[in-house]
Amino acid sequence: MTTSHLDALVDALRKLPGVGVKSAQRMAFHLLQHDRAGAQQLARALDEAVRGVRHCARCHTFTDQALCAICSDTHRDARQLCVVETPADQAALERTGSYRGYYYVLMGRISPLDGIGASALGAAGLMARATEGDVEEVILATSFTAEGEATAHVLSEGLKARGLKVTRLARGVPAGSELEYVDLSTIAHALVDRR
């Protein structure tokens, strides 16, 4: 039995995170019924990105050059290296405008249940990057999930063994929130990490 073009489109859209069958169908129907030019633009952009986007040779984020724009910026603070899980995390930190060092993007996190260990994340590449040049402090900006914490712990041990100062993002009560509505784990960590 052959798959129709519409079924193939719906199946392709389902590859996106959080997109189920119904959402994929709505997107497909919208593109085909109301925005065929947008569908062609999307197809071209996806094709060009798949062919042209690669990993930065220095930080491992996505780029279409050998070095990404951040790694090419000589005005950044070479003493700081911030380790993040994904390019999306890197973009979020950049949007704050408060960090001016360089990055290393892991492209994931340690997940023993999925068979992903430190070597699968490319920890050796991080260790090499952290020990080259002027890096004095490595900031671990992994998520505060069990996997993110495990990743931070394993990387911290390896980086400290190489004589580097290792810090972790602070966590605590979000600005503008009321304590009675904050989950107990966040309050507990805020008390422990108080300054």
Short mmCIF file of all heavy atoms in Angstrom, two decimals, residues 74-107:
data_model
loop_
_atom_site.label_atom_id
_atom_site.label_comp_id
_atom_site.label_asym_id
_atom_site.label_seq_id
_atom_site.Cartn_x
_atom_site.Cartn_y
_atom_site.Cartn_z
N THR A 74 35.68 38.52 18.91
CA THR A 74 36.88 38.66 19.74
C THR A 74 36.68 39.59 20.94
O THR A 74 37.57 39.71 21.78
CB THR A 74 38.06 39.19 18.90
OG1 THR A 74 37.68 40.45 18.32
CG2 THR A 74 38.42 38.21 17.80
N HIS A 75 35.52 40.22 21.04
CA HIS A 75 35.25 41.13 22.15
C HIS A 75 34.62 40.42 23.35
O HIS A 75 34.33 41.05 24.36
CB HIS A 75 34.36 42.29 21.69
CG HIS A 75 35.04 43.16 20.69
ND1 HIS A 75 34.87 42.99 19.33
CD2 HIS A 75 35.91 44.17 20.83
CE1 HIS A 75 35.59 43.88 18.69
NE2 HIS A 75 36.24 44.61 19.57
N ARG A 76 34.40 39.13 23.26
CA ARG A 76 33.79 38.39 24.36
C ARG A 76 34.87 38.04 25.39
O ARG A 76 36.06 38.07 25.11
CB ARG A 76 33.07 37.16 23.84
CG ARG A 76 31.90 37.56 22.91
CD ARG A 76 31.06 36.39 22.52
NE ARG A 76 30.20 35.96 23.59
CZ ARG A 76 28.91 36.28 23.71
NH1 ARG A 76 28.34 37.08 22.83
NH2 ARG A 76 28.20 35.82 24.70
N ASP A 77 34.43 37.69 26.60
CA ASP A 77 35.34 37.37 27.70
C ASP A 77 35.82 35.93 27.58
O ASP A 77 35.09 34.98 27.89
CB ASP A 77 34.62 37.59 29.04
CG ASP A 77 35.53 37.44 30.23
OD1 ASP A 77 36.69 37.00 30.08
OD2 ASP A 77 35.08 37.77 31.35
N ALA A 78 37.07 35.74 27.17
CA ALA A 78 37.64 34.41 26.95
C ALA A 78 37.90 33.67 28.25
O ALA A 78 38.20 32.48 28.23
CB ALA A 78 38.93 34.52 26.15
N ARG A 79 37.76 34.34 29.38
CA ARG A 79 38.00 33.69 30.68
C ARG A 79 36.82 32.84 31.12
O ARG A 79 36.94 32.02 32.01
CB ARG A 79 38.32 34.73 31.75
CG ARG A 79 39.62 35.49 31.47
CD ARG A 79 39.77 36.65 32.40
NE ARG A 79 38.62 37.55 32.18
CZ ARG A 79 38.34 38.60 32.95
NH1 ARG A 79 39.08 38.90 33.99
NH2 ARG A 79 37.31 39.37 32.67
N GLN A 80 35.64 33.06 30.51
CA GLN A 80 34.44 32.34 30.90
C GLN A 80 33.93 31.45 29.78
O GLN A 80 33.87 31.88 28.62
CB GLN A 80 33.32 33.31 31.31
CG GLN A 80 33.62 34.05 32.59
CD GLN A 80 32.45 34.94 32.97
OE1 GLN A 80 31.81 35.54 32.12
NE2 GLN A 80 32.18 35.00 34.26
N LEU A 81 33.55 30.22 30.15
CA LEU A 81 32.98 29.27 29.20
C LEU A 81 31.70 28.72 29.83
O LEU A 81 31.75 28.12 30.90
CB LEU A 81 33.96 28.13 28.92
CG LEU A 81 33.50 27.09 27.90
CD1 LEU A 81 33.39 27.72 26.51
CD2 LEU A 81 34.48 25.92 27.88
N CYS A 82 30.59 28.94 29.19
CA CYS A 82 29.29 28.50 29.71
C CYS A 82 28.85 27.24 28.95
O CYS A 82 28.79 27.24 27.73
CB CYS A 82 28.25 29.60 29.53
SG CYS A 82 26.64 29.22 30.23
N VAL A 83 28.57 26.19 29.69
CA VAL A 83 28.17 24.91 29.10
C VAL A 83 26.65 24.80 29.16
O VAL A 83 26.05 24.88 30.24
CB VAL A 83 28.82 23.73 29.86
CG1 VAL A 83 28.38 22.40 29.24
CG2 VAL A 83 30.33 23.86 29.84
N VAL A 84 26.03 24.61 27.99
CA VAL A 84 24.57 24.47 27.90
C VAL A 84 24.24 23.16 27.19
O VAL A 84 25.09 22.57 26.53
CB VAL A 84 23.93 25.66 27.16
CG1 VAL A 84 24.10 26.96 27.95
CG2 VAL A 84 24.49 25.81 25.76
N GLU A 85 23.00 22.73 27.34
CA GLU A 85 22.57 21.47 26.73
C GLU A 85 22.24 21.62 25.25
O GLU A 85 22.52 20.71 24.46
CB GLU A 85 21.34 20.93 27.47
CG GLU A 85 21.64 20.50 28.88
CD GLU A 85 20.40 20.06 29.65
OE1 GLU A 85 19.31 19.96 29.04
OE2 GLU A 85 20.53 19.80 30.86
N THR A 86 21.63 22.72 24.85
CA THR A 86 21.13 22.86 23.48
C THR A 86 21.37 24.27 22.94
O THR A 86 21.57 25.22 23.71
CB THR A 86 19.61 22.61 23.43
OG1 THR A 86 18.95 23.68 24.15
CG2 THR A 86 19.22 21.27 24.02
N PRO A 87 21.33 24.42 21.61
CA PRO A 87 21.40 25.77 21.03
C PRO A 87 20.26 26.67 21.54
O PRO A 87 20.44 27.87 21.65
CB PRO A 87 21.29 25.52 19.53
CG PRO A 87 21.83 24.14 19.34
CD PRO A 87 21.36 23.38 20.56
N ALA A 88 19.11 26.09 21.85
CA ALA A 88 18.00 26.89 22.39
C ALA A 88 18.36 27.47 23.75
O ALA A 88 18.01 28.62 24.06
CB ALA A 88 16.73 26.04 22.48
N ASP A 89 19.06 26.70 24.57
CA ASP A 89 19.51 27.20 25.87
C ASP A 89 20.51 28.34 25.68
O ASP A 89 20.47 29.35 26.38
CB ASP A 89 20.16 26.08 26.70
CG ASP A 89 19.19 24.98 27.07
OD1 ASP A 89 17.97 25.21 27.07
OD2 ASP A 89 19.67 23.86 27.37
N GLN A 90 21.41 28.17 24.72
CA GLN A 90 22.39 29.20 24.42
C GLN A 90 21.68 30.49 23.98
O GLN A 90 22.01 31.58 24.44
CB GLN A 90 23.33 28.72 23.31
CG GLN A 90 24.36 29.75 22.89
CD GLN A 90 25.17 29.31 21.68
OE1 GLN A 90 24.83 28.34 21.00
NE2 GLN A 90 26.24 30.02 21.41
N ALA A 91 20.69 30.35 23.12
CA ALA A 91 19.94 31.53 22.64
C ALA A 91 19.22 32.23 23.80
O ALA A 91 19.18 33.46 23.85
CB ALA A 91 18.94 31.11 21.57
N ALA A 92 18.68 31.44 24.74
CA ALA A 92 17.99 32.04 25.89
C ALA A 92 18.97 32.85 26.74
O ALA A 92 18.66 33.97 27.16
CB ALA A 92 17.33 30.95 26.73
N LEU A 93 20.15 32.31 26.98
CA LEU A 93 21.15 33.05 27.75
C LEU A 93 21.59 34.30 27.02
O LEU A 93 21.78 35.36 27.62
CB LEU A 93 22.35 32.16 28.07
CG LEU A 93 22.13 31.14 29.17
CD1 LEU A 93 23.28 30.14 29.23
CD2 LEU A 93 21.97 31.82 30.52
N GLU A 94 21.76 34.21 25.72
CA GLU A 94 22.15 35.38 24.93
C GLU A 94 21.11 36.48 24.98
O GLU A 94 21.44 37.66 25.03
CB GLU A 94 22.42 34.99 23.47
CG GLU A 94 23.80 34.43 23.23
CD GLU A 94 24.89 35.43 23.53
OE1 GLU A 94 25.07 36.40 22.79
OE2 GLU A 94 25.59 35.22 24.55
N ARG A 95 19.83 36.10 24.99
CA ARG A 95 18.75 37.10 25.03
C ARG A 95 18.78 37.91 26.32
O ARG A 95 18.30 39.04 26.34
CB ARG A 95 17.39 36.45 24.84
CG ARG A 95 17.08 36.09 23.40
CD ARG A 95 15.62 35.71 23.18
NE ARG A 95 15.16 34.63 24.04
CZ ARG A 95 15.26 33.34 23.76
NH1 ARG A 95 15.81 32.94 22.63
NH2 ARG A 95 14.79 32.43 24.60
N THR A 96 19.35 37.37 27.40
CA THR A 96 19.41 38.13 28.65
C THR A 96 20.36 39.30 28.54
O THR A 96 20.22 40.28 29.27
CB THR A 96 19.87 37.24 29.84
OG1 THR A 96 21.26 36.92 29.69
CG2 THR A 96 19.03 36.00 29.97
N GLY A 97 21.36 39.21 27.67
CA GLY A 97 22.34 40.28 27.53
C GLY A 97 23.29 40.39 28.71
O GLY A 97 24.07 41.33 28.79
N SER A 98 23.26 39.43 29.63
CA SER A 98 24.06 39.53 30.85
C SER A 98 25.31 38.66 30.84
O SER A 98 26.12 38.74 31.75
CB SER A 98 23.21 39.19 32.07
OG SER A 98 22.73 37.86 31.97
N TYR A 99 25.50 37.86 29.81
CA TYR A 99 26.67 36.99 29.74
C TYR A 99 27.47 37.35 28.51
O TYR A 99 26.93 37.41 27.40
CB TYR A 99 26.25 35.51 29.69
CG TYR A 99 27.42 34.57 29.55
CD1 TYR A 99 28.31 34.37 30.60
CD2 TYR A 99 27.65 33.89 28.36
CE1 TYR A 99 29.40 33.52 30.46
CE2 TYR A 99 28.73 33.03 28.22
CZ TYR A 99 29.61 32.86 29.27
OH TYR A 99 30.68 32.02 29.14
N ARG A 100 28.76 37.58 28.67
CA ARG A 100 29.61 38.01 27.55
C ARG A 100 30.78 37.06 27.29
O ARG A 100 31.71 37.40 26.58
CB ARG A 100 30.14 39.43 27.79
CG ARG A 100 29.07 40.49 27.80
CD ARG A 100 28.36 40.65 26.49
NE ARG A 100 29.28 40.93 25.41
CZ ARG A 100 29.06 40.64 24.14
NH1 ARG A 100 27.95 40.06 23.77
NH2 ARG A 100 29.96 40.90 23.23
N GLY A 101 30.74 35.86 27.86
CA GLY A 101 31.79 34.88 27.61
C GLY A 101 31.44 34.02 26.41
O GLY A 101 30.56 34.34 25.61
N TYR A 102 32.14 32.90 26.30
CA TYR A 102 31.90 31.95 25.22
C TYR A 102 31.07 30.77 25.72
O TYR A 102 30.79 30.66 26.91
CB TYR A 102 33.24 31.46 24.64
CG TYR A 102 33.98 32.55 23.89
CD1 TYR A 102 35.06 33.20 24.46
CD2 TYR A 102 33.58 32.92 22.61
CE1 TYR A 102 35.74 34.20 23.77
CE2 TYR A 102 34.25 33.92 21.91
CZ TYR A 102 35.33 34.55 22.51
OH TYR A 102 35.98 35.55 21.82
N TYR A 103 30.68 29.89 24.81
CA TYR A 103 29.81 28.75 25.13
C TYR A 103 30.42 27.44 24.65
O TYR A 103 31.27 27.42 23.77
CB TYR A 103 28.46 28.89 24.42
CG TYR A 103 27.62 30.03 24.90
CD1 TYR A 103 27.68 31.27 24.28
CD2 TYR A 103 26.73 29.87 25.97
CE1 TYR A 103 26.90 32.32 24.70
CE2 TYR A 103 25.95 30.92 26.39
CZ TYR A 103 26.03 32.15 25.76
OH TYR A 103 25.27 33.19 26.19
N TYR A 104 29.89 26.37 25.23
CA TYR A 104 30.07 25.04 24.68
C TYR A 104 28.71 24.37 24.75
O TYR A 104 28.09 24.32 25.82
CB TYR A 104 31.11 24.21 25.45
CG TYR A 104 31.44 22.93 24.70
CD1 TYR A 104 32.42 22.93 23.72
CD2 TYR A 104 30.74 21.76 24.94
CE1 TYR A 104 32.70 21.78 23.00
CE2 TYR A 104 31.02 20.61 24.22
CZ TYR A 104 32.00 20.62 23.26
OH TYR A 104 32.27 19.49 22.54
N VAL A 105 28.21 23.87 23.62
CA VAL A 105 26.88 23.29 23.54
C VAL A 105 27.01 21.76 23.48
O VAL A 105 27.61 21.23 22.56
CB VAL A 105 26.11 23.82 22.31
CG1 VAL A 105 24.70 23.24 22.27
CG2 VAL A 105 26.06 25.35 22.34
N LEU A 106 26.45 21.09 24.46
CA LEU A 106 26.56 19.63 24.57
C LEU A 106 25.71 18.88 23.55
O LEU A 106 26.00 17.76 23.20
CB LEU A 106 26.15 19.18 25.97
CG LEU A 106 27.03 19.66 27.12
CD1 LEU A 106 26.36 19.34 28.44
CD2 LEU A 106 28.41 19.03 27.03
N MET A 107 24.62 19.48 23.11
CA MET A 107 23.64 18.83 22.23
C MET A 107 22.96 17.65 22.94
O MET A 107 22.66 16.63 22.33
CB MET A 107 24.28 18.36 20.93
CG MET A 107 24.75 19.47 20.04
SD MET A 107 23.33 20.45 19.49
CE MET A 107 24.16 21.64 18.46
#
